[in-house]
Amino acid sequence: MNNRRKKILQELGLTPIWKKRTDSTPESLTSESRETTSATMKDLPASASEVTCDHPVHSMNWDQLKLTVSNCTACALCETRKNTVFGVGDEQADWLFVGEGPGAREDEIGEPFVGQAGKLLDQMLTAIGLKRGSNVYIANIVKCRPPNNRNPSDTEASACEPFLNRQIQLIAPKLIVALGKVSAGNLLNRNDSLSSMRGKVHEYSGIPLIVTYHPAYLLRALPDKAKAWKDLCFAKATMESLL
Ligand code: URA
């Protein structure tokens, strides 16, 4: 194993699993392979399917969008949030990573993926030569914390969808990486298993989209880190083919 590969595996916390390879090792482990706006979400439609190109969200610039999100009362999550979590990173990034929704730490700080799962996400980024904030943008399906870290409901996700949709229009990323089933399911409007969505290039509004595990899940399911590594390699190769 060369030093670069070793370093990548270390970043992903994969090295011990890699060393123990046996005949029964799953195939995945062998992979080398302001102008301000007075609009509040009360005035906005409940779901993106109602959002047309002449809808206010779709003509908003970054500052308008950020302000609108910070004042949003479109769903009940606004009643329990401490902060909205808009998204973070390079607003012209080629890479967009989309998680599910803020957790407790993110709710406190107002930034996505700053807790334990965020640390792992940063390691995943490092593993493929990326860094938070540099050609990478990180966002979530919903911008407010679902209480007790439950999944966002369909109603909550729909209420928030116009914001993510506008962010994606403004960023115009080359590739979207959906982190976990909730993210992939909402972006692709599918209710399929995560495993059936991995390993393919999907599309969101004409933008290639790849599905991988959510970092919070990977913290609990160590063996699947190897599969995530495979997905990241696939995403990197896909990006290279797009450049
Ligand atoms: N999990 C997510 O999906 N998003 C975050 O911002 C943090 C944890």
Side-chain angles (χ1 to χ4, degrees):
M1 191 186 302
N2 66 32
N3 284 339
R4 188 174 160 270
R5 182 167 300 280
K6 216 180 260 172
K7 195 160 179 300
I8 289 170
L9 294 173
Q10 274 164 0
E11 293 288 354
L12 274 171
L14 272 175
T15 23
I17 296 169
W18 196 271
K19 278 181 189 161
K20 283 181 190 158
R21 179 178 166 173
T22 65
D23 284 350
S24 61
T25 302
E27 182 270 331
S28 53
L29 293 185
T30 67
S31 179
E32 299 279 314
S33 36
R34 203 150 321 213
E35 250 186 357
T36 57
T37 175
S38 58
T40 73
M41 279 305 287
K42 273 194 197 129
D43 309 317
L44 302 180
S47 88
S49 54
E50 296 172 55
V51 177
T52 57
C53 289
D54 57 359
H55 185 274
V57 166
H58 277 156
S59 58
M60 282 182 189
N61 63 28
W62 279 109
D63 287 343
Q64 291 168 330
L65 192 61
K66 285 172 192 171
L67 184 66
T68 307
V69 167
S70 69
N71 290 318
C72 180
T73 56
C75 80
L77 295 183
C78 69
E79 290 159 22
T80 48
R81 73 175 177 226
K82 289 188 178 135
N83 286 293
T84 55
V85 178
F86 182 79
V88 72
D90 180 346
E91 292 174 356
Q92 295 174 323
D94 287 339
W95 291 85
L96 171 65
F97 289 78
V98 182
E100 183 177 315
R105 189 81 187 125
E106 289 77 18
D107 184 48
E108 296 274 350
I109 309 272
E111 185 175 325
F113 285 100
V114 289
Q116 284 305 314
K119 279 191 195 143
L120 181 55
L121 178 59
D122 287 341
Q123 290 169 350
M124 292 164 74
L125 296 176
T126 306
I128 51 168
L130 299 175
K131 194 170 185 272
R132 182 187 289 247
S134 171
N135 205 21
V136 172
Y137 196 92
I138 302 171
N140 280 311
I141 293 294
V142 292
K143 314 248 179 268
C144 299
R145 181 189 181 206
N148 305 315
N149 297 337
R150 63 162 170 75
N151 291 347
S153 68
D154 288 348
T155 309
E156 291 156 357
S158 293
C160 226
E161 189 182 356
F163 297 140
L164 180 60
N165 190 273
R166 182 61 182 154
Q167 279 175 299
I168 294 174
Q169 283 181 339
L170 288 168
I171 298 164
K174 290 204 165 58
L175 182 65
I176 300 172
V177 180
L179 301 166
K181 182 172 163 25
V182 170
S183 171
N186 277 287
L187 288 168
L188 297 174
N189 199 19
R190 286 164 65 157
N191 190 21
D192 299 337
S193 68
L194 185 96
S195 56
S196 72
M197 293 188 277
R198 290 179 53 240
K200 297 174 189 146
V201 182
H202 306 266
E203 226 181 71
Y204 176 88
S205 291
I207 301 167
L209 182 151
I210 283 173
V211 177
T212 190
Y213 294 96
H214 192 287
Y217 166 79
L218 292 173
L219 289 170
R220 305 188 301 268
L222 201 62
D224 281 339
K225 274 191 177 179
K227 293 188 193 161
W229 162 239
K230 196 175 177 183
D231 297 339
L232 292 171
C233 289
F234 179 50
K236 193 166 166 65
T238 303
M239 177 62 90
E240 278 162 7
S241 75
L242 294 168
L243 295 173

